[in-house]
Amino acid sequence: MGGRPPALTELQALEARQMYDETDEHGKRRYTVAQIAETFGVSRKTIYRHLDRQTTT
């Protein structure tokens, strides 16, 4: 198949989801989407795309 390879591997997408779901003792998210994107070297849109993909499947 042709096309561009995914920006995140399946493992990275899973780690991003775990980071997104992690909360502190007050119930607030521990990491922002911008922080997660910076961690993996991708855009915020890429993170949102992977988060949406995981919630629909």
Side-chain angles (χ1 to χ4, degrees), residues 17 20-21 48-57:
R17 167 53 78 180
Y20 183 76
D21 289 339
Y48 281 119
R49 190 177 317 121
H50 282 278
L51 292 175
D52 286 344
R53 189 174 299 149
Q54 289 175 349
T55 58
T56 59
T57 57

Side-chain angles (χ1 to χ4, degrees), residues 19-32:
M19 288 176 73
Y20 183 76
D21 289 339
E22 191 174 334
T23 57
D24 64 13
E25 61 277 357
H26 302 293
K28 289 180 58 179
R29 293 203 191 282
R30 188 174 299 267
Y31 302 101
T32 64

Side-chain angles (χ1 to χ4, degrees), residues 6-8 13 16 33 36-37 40-53:
L8 295 177
V33 173
I36 297 168
F40 293 104
V42 296
S43 69
R44 289 182 314 128
K45 182 174 179 157
T46 299
I47 297 298
Y48 281 119
R49 190 177 317 121
H50 282 278
L51 292 175
D52 286 344
R53 189 174 299 149

